[in-house]
């Protein structure tokens, strides 16, 4: 016992060393257990909490015009991501304040978009610069909030082409149901126009990125140097047949009117310009759209959302006369030399139809030249309804053409149609008289008339009008042409020559109805038309035409609503556009187009430098205060 | 009588050989400080800062203290032993003064008023008081005729060592206060207190912890305690008395837990017993710490590549949870290196203690070993989930200037006293 009590004895030392070994031995055993036995399990757990999978959005395909000018490109846009289980009430309140909204809205968005509590979700796109700066500044306080740079659509300020391009917007829940698995709430999808029609090509494929997130749920850096990531494949670029310069000029010339212009290449059906007035700014729908702004456009009495080029329908008026002539000549009811006497009016069964004047003896060429109604009243009566319908169908009237934008319902009357309206065999002959001069129940749209005019211009081949010429396949690096319908209508050359001569006379021979379209250096052939707009309203003015006369490069249809006679308003617009397309020169008195658009060889670089274009930035500054 | 002369209370200063220097202790200490600096760097550097950002300020301040610590350590290593002995009482008194000052003018950090801030210097008086207290105890034990086998001397040592505790509890710094109790047990063990008595004091604590886990665990612990006590072969009365203490402690634990403890203390106990009860609250530290340690595997994830550390899943990791850094980034290898270095330092201190003539020097060396062991056991035990969370830093590794400075000063004393080492061992 004496030894045990002594100061610093070996026993006491051993007791302490024993304790030391016991403790450190236990620690070693614990380290073996934690690190060597359960190590991989813990590693999985740390990765599960520290590594998150974030969806990386592809860049949507750009859209170029026929000369390579970008029409729709992408500019940087900032998106707010939220990790639901990391978001604290404080950071939620702060986020709401920065986004100038309330926490109820934030909660709604989270509920709407979240798939689980742990994955970051996009709750707010297109944060403005000021909001972006604030979010960065207060990043450390914004627990569970991240901000990523993505892109949004930018429309070149030069043209609007609203009805062609359409717009992109956040997908709705119904659309997710319709479009399938690829989409998740919060995705952006093409809502109209080409953006919608070519959604599958433009959107690309989403990628995935694994990022390390810190204890505040915020992205720190990429995981494993990005080796596990799947890079998104960007959308395919589209090359349109559109001539941005021509489109711009057409939009400008239509300004102030209600109407439409469709110009196409008669040799292949490529749409060179398609304008509808009034129109709207497509940038309005990109990113965040305020309710007021939307309602203002939607409730505008001028119906800017309506694409008059394809969705509005009118009787074709006298532009129909070439079709009647072709039918009569082909079916043998008349010969080029056949003449009919025009006394200035036509009477049938007690009803009288007027003509524009007393034309005397007219053959078919002259009848087109002076737009003699009596000639075609009689021809229509001779041919009957079946021939009328047959040739209307030949030129694809009465049905949708398959253009890449929505088309309205048109009507080509037929025997069955009138049997249905009046009862079988009970309908009056006078109906046919009206149809013969393009009036009556028939309904066409400017696109149909432009395609018809293109077929006349090229000597009888009907091409399906289309906007997209080619698609750039990013994966293969190739540019693939898109195939469209082409159909030889089987009209003889001799007949087409007569039609061409008549259309030549309309513009270039005194007494024609479209002298206003005449130019000294470029020969235009065309035909005016007047569509009845109903009682008390001024008629709609048509003008269809093509040029140059011997080797047509452009065919066009111009419609100006409620303007009266076609030659007065529509023909000069067509003349100016044709001159521009063929010479790149605008008429005096009209401001010249931007040089970039005038010079077809000056190809813009494919990608716009971010934020380089002041105008584009400006147009994207939509107030984010309302949703 | 012992082979050693206990009466030779004052060893002549000249007996310290200038050639005798404890390089092993120095190297081990430097290695630990280096690992600490590396760990703090890793836990505080900003992975997103550019290359021009420079090292983190927390790291730089610790580096400055480490350099200061080296200077203090080397200076103390060569100080005449008499100066050290003479400064014991003033240091002890100064410790009290600082503890009083901190209560009057101290700064609150993390809910504890245990810091004195003087311009750029912030210091924890309980660290310095610990140092002074140990020296004061050494002075008392060294006095002729003192023998911790008698109750009077035990009472005096208790008064000396536990004197600062009420002041520390006022801050309140429960963790630091426990160090004094352990130091008292250590000094008592070394200075010759009855081993059965010491065991009877320690055993109830073990039984109480076992009782928290459940009745079965408590009965097993009581059985082990009884077995050990029987090995002492004391009289039936004494054995029953000692064992009775453990039994009372074991059965009252439930009552204390239910009715005496504050809710936050209960929460800490609950968390310790089952961290998954509240993974986002009280259990958060423990779970994240275990994940950091466990995920390190054998060789770790690499310097600055520990996801738990770099992504800051463990708040204030550089203070109490610094052990997660070497274990996560250098794995089992890193964890064992720290354990072996700390174990070696403690063993070297005890070895020196057992080879010193002077009871003053010997007591201090042993006391230092006890302090290091206690800190290491609690801190590492906490990081690997074997001990409830308590605010006790890991010597040489945890961020904290005054703590590092004092720990290195204590090593300075070890180095100093090593010079008087004899080849004879205490029996």
């Amino acid at each position: 016992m004496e030894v045990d009590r002594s100061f610093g004895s070996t026993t006491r030392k051993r007791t302490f060393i024993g304790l030391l070994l016991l403790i450190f031995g236990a620690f070693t055993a614990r380290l073996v257990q934690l690190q060597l036995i359960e190590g991989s399990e813990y590693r999985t757990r740390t990765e599960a909490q520290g590594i998150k999978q974030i969806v990386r959005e592809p860049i949507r395909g750009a859209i170029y015009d026929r000369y390579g000018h970008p029409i729709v490109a992408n500019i940087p846009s900032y998106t707010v991501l939220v990790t639901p289980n990391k978001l604290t009430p404080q950071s939620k309140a702060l986020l709401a304040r920065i986004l100038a909204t309330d926490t109820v809205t934030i909660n709604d968005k989270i509920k709407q978009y979240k798939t689980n509590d742990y994955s970051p979700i996009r709750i707010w796109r297109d944060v403005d610069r000021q909001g972006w700066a604030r979010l960065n500044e207060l990043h450390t306080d914004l627990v569970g909030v991240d901000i990523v740079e993505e892109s949004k659509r930018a429309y070149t300020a030069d043209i609007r082409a609203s009805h062609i391009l359409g717009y992109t917007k956040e997908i709705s829940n119904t659309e997710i149901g319709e479009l399938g698995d690829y989409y998740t709430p919060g995705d952006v999808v093409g809502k109209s126009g080409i953006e919608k029609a070519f959604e599958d090509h433009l959107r690309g494929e989403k990628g995935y990125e694994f990022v390390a997130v810190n204890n505040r749920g915020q992205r720190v850096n990429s995981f494993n140097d990005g080796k596990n990531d799947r890079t998104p494949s960007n959308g395919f670029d589209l090359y349109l047949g559109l001539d941005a310069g021509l489109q711009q000029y057409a939009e400008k010339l239509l300004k102030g009117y209600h109407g439409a212009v469709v110009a196409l290449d008669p040799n292949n059906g490529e749409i060179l310009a398609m304008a509808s007035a009034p129109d709207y700014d497509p940038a309005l729908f990109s990113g965040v759209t305020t309710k007021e702004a939307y309602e203002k456009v939607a409730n505008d009495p001028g119906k800017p959302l309506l694409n008059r080029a394809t969705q509005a329908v009118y009787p074709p008026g006298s532009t129909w006369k070439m079709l009647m002539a072709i039918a009569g000549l082909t079916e043998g009811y008349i010969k080029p030399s056949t003449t009919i006497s025009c006394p200035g009016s036509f009477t049938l069964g007690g009803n009288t139809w007027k003509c524009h004047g007393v034309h005397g003896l007219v053959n078919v060429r002259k009848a087109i030249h002076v737009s003699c109604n009596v000639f075609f009243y009689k021809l229509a009566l001779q041919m009957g309804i079946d021939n009328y319908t047959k040739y209307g169908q030949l030129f694809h009237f009465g049905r949708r053409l398959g253009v890449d934008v929505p088309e309205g319902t048109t009507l080509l009357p037929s025997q069955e149609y009138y049997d249905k309206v009046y009862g079988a065999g009970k309908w009056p002959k006078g109906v046919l008289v009206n149809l013969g001069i393009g009036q009556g129940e028939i309904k066409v749209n400017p696109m149909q008339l432009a395609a018809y005019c293109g077929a006349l211009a090229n000597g009888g081949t009907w091409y399906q009008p289309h906007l997209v010429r080619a698609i750039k396949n990013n994966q293969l690096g190739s540019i693939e042409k898109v195939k469209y319908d082409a159909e030889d209508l089987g009209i003889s050359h001799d007949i087409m020559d007569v039609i061409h001569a008549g259309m030549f006379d309309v513009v270039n021979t005194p007494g024609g109805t479209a002298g206003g379209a005449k130019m000294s250096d470029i020969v235009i052939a065309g035909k005016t038309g007047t569509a009845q707009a109903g009682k008390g309203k001024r008629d709609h003015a048509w003008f269809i035409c093509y040029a140059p006369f011997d080797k047509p490069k452009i065919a066009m249809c111009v419609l100006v609503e409620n303007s009266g006679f076609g030659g007065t308003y529509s023909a000069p617009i067509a003349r100016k556009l044709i001159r521009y397309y063929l010479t790149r020169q605008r008429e005096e008195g009209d401001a010249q187009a931007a040089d970039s658009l005038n010079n077809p060889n000056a190809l813009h670089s494919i990608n716009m430098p971010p934020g380089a274009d002041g105008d584009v930035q400006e147009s994207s500054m939509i107030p984010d205060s309302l949703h | 009588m012992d082979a050693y002369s206990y009466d030779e209370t004052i060893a002549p200063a000249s007996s310290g050989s200038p050639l005798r220097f404890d390089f092993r202790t120095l190297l081990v200490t430097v290695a630990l400080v280096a690992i600490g600096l590396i760990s703090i760097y890793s836990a505080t550097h900003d992975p997103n800062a550019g290359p021009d950002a420079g090292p983190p300020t927390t790291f730089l301040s610790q580096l400055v203290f480490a350099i200061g610590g080296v200077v203090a350590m080397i200076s103390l290593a060569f100080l005449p032993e008499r100066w050290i002995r003479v400064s014991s009482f003033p240091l002890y008194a100064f410790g009290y003064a600082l503890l009083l000052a901190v209560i009057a003018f101290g700064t609150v950090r993390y809910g504890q008023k245990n810091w004195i801030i003087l311009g750029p210097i912030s210091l924890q008086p309980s660290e310095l008081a610990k140092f002074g207290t140990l020296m004061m105890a050494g002075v008392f034990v060294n006095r002729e005729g003192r023998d911790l086998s008698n109750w009077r001397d035990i009472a005096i040592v208790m008064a000396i060592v536990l004197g600062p505790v009420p002041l520390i509890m006022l801050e309140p710094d429960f963790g630091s206060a426990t160090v004094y109790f352990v130091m008292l047990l250590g000094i008592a063990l070394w200075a010759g207190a009855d081993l059965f008595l010491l065991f009877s004091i320690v055993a109830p604590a073990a039984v109480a912890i076992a009782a928290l886990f459940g009745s079965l665990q408590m009965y097993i612990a009581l059985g082990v305690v009884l077995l050990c006590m029987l090995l002492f072969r004391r009289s039936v009365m004494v054995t029953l008395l000692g064992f009775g203490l453990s039994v009372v402690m074991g059965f009252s634990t439930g009552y204390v837990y239910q009715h005496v403890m504050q809710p936050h203390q209960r929460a800490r106990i609950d968390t310790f017993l089952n961290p998954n009860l509240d993974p986002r609250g009280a259990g958060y530290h423990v779970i994240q710490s275990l994940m950091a340690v466990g995920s390190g595997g054998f060789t770790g994830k690499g310097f600055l590549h520990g996801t738990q550390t770099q992504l800051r899943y463990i708040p204030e990791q550089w203070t109490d949870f610094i052990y997660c850094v070497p274990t996560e980034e250098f794995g089992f290898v890193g964890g064992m290196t720290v354990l072996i270095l700390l174990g070696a330092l403690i063993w070297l201190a005890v070895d020196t203690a057992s080879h010193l003539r002077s009871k003053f020097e010997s007591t201090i060396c042993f006391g230092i070993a006890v302090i290091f062991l206690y800190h290491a056991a609690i801190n590492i035990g906490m990081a690997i989930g074997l001990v409830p969370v308590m605010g006790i830093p890991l010597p040489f590794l945890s961020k904290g200037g005054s703590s590092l400075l004092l720990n290195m000063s204590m090593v300075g004393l070890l180095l100093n006293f090593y010079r008087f080492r004899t080849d004879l061992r205490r029996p």
Side-chain angles (χ1 to χ4, degrees), chain A residues 450-492:
Chain A
Y452 157 70
C453 181
L456 296 180
N458 67 35
T461 305
W462 189 87
Y463 291 101
Q464 184 183 10
H466 57 270
L467 288 161
V468 178
R469 279 212 292 191
I471 296 169
K472 184 177 179 187
N473 186 323
N474 285 343
Q475 254 109 52
L476 303 173
S478 58
I479 292 179
E480 293 161 3
K481 283 214 129 206
V482 184
K483 292 228 180 310
Y484 294 97
D485 288 349
E487 186 185 334
D488 186 343
L489 304 178
I491 304 164
S492 81

Side-chain angles (χ1 to χ4, degrees), chain A residues 8 10 12 30 49 213 215, chain B residues 189-190 288 308 312 384 427:
Chain A
T10 308
R12 285 160 197 277
R30 180 69 163 170
Q49 84 167 357
V213 293
N215 60 329
Chain B
L189 169 69
W190 194 242
Q288 296 298 338
Q308 291 287 99
R312 308 281 178 266
I384 59 181

Side-chain angles (χ1 to χ4, degrees), chain B residues 109-185:
Chain B
R109 282 192 189 170
Y110 313 118
Q112 295 175 351
K113 199 176 181 184
N114 55 3
W115 289 86
I116 290 182
I117 312 267
L118 295 169
I121 303 156
S122 53
L123 139 161
Q124 254 183 313
S126 59
E127 291 288 336
L128 188 90
K130 194 163 67 189
F131 191 66
T133 304
L134 177 60
M135 285 169 73
M136 195 62 208
V139 167
F140 174 75
V141 169
N142 194 46
R143 286 172 80 177
E144 200 174 343
R146 296 303 167 207
D147 180 359
L148 288 206
S149 62
N150 76 60
W151 286 101
R152 190 194 58 143
D153 287 355
I154 288 178
I156 293 171
V157 171
M158 273 178 81
I160 291 172
V161 178
L162 300 186
V165 167
L167 294 178
I168 293 169
M169 292 298 269
L170 276 176
E171 291 178 357
D173 188 350
F174 174 71
S176 294
T178 61
V179 178
Y180 288 79
F181 285 97
V182 173
M183 195 158 67
L184 175 67
L185 286 173

Side-chain angles (χ1 to χ4, degrees), chain B residues 40-46 53-62:
Chain B
I40 288 168
Y41 182 88
S42 181
T44 57
H45 100 288
D46 180 0
T57 50
T58 317
F59 166 78
L60 286 178
S61 108
Q62 185 79 349

Side-chain angles (χ1 to χ4, degrees), chain A residues 73-78 124-130 150-157 281-290 608 610-625:
Chain A
N74 300 286
I75 55 167
S77 158
Y78 298 97
W124 206 278
R125 284 176 189 278
D126 198 22
V127 178
D128 63 20
R129 296 229 155 216
Q130 201 187 344
E150 295 183 331
S151 62
K152 70 162 191 165
R153 294 307 241 183
Y155 301 87
T156 61
D281 183 357
L284 187 70
F285 293 104
S286 175
V288 172
T289 311
T290 66
M608 294 176 65
D613 191 329
D615 287 333
V616 174
Q617 285 297 334
E618 201 59 39
S619 65
S620 71
M621 286 294 176
I622 294 160
D624 63 337
S625 52

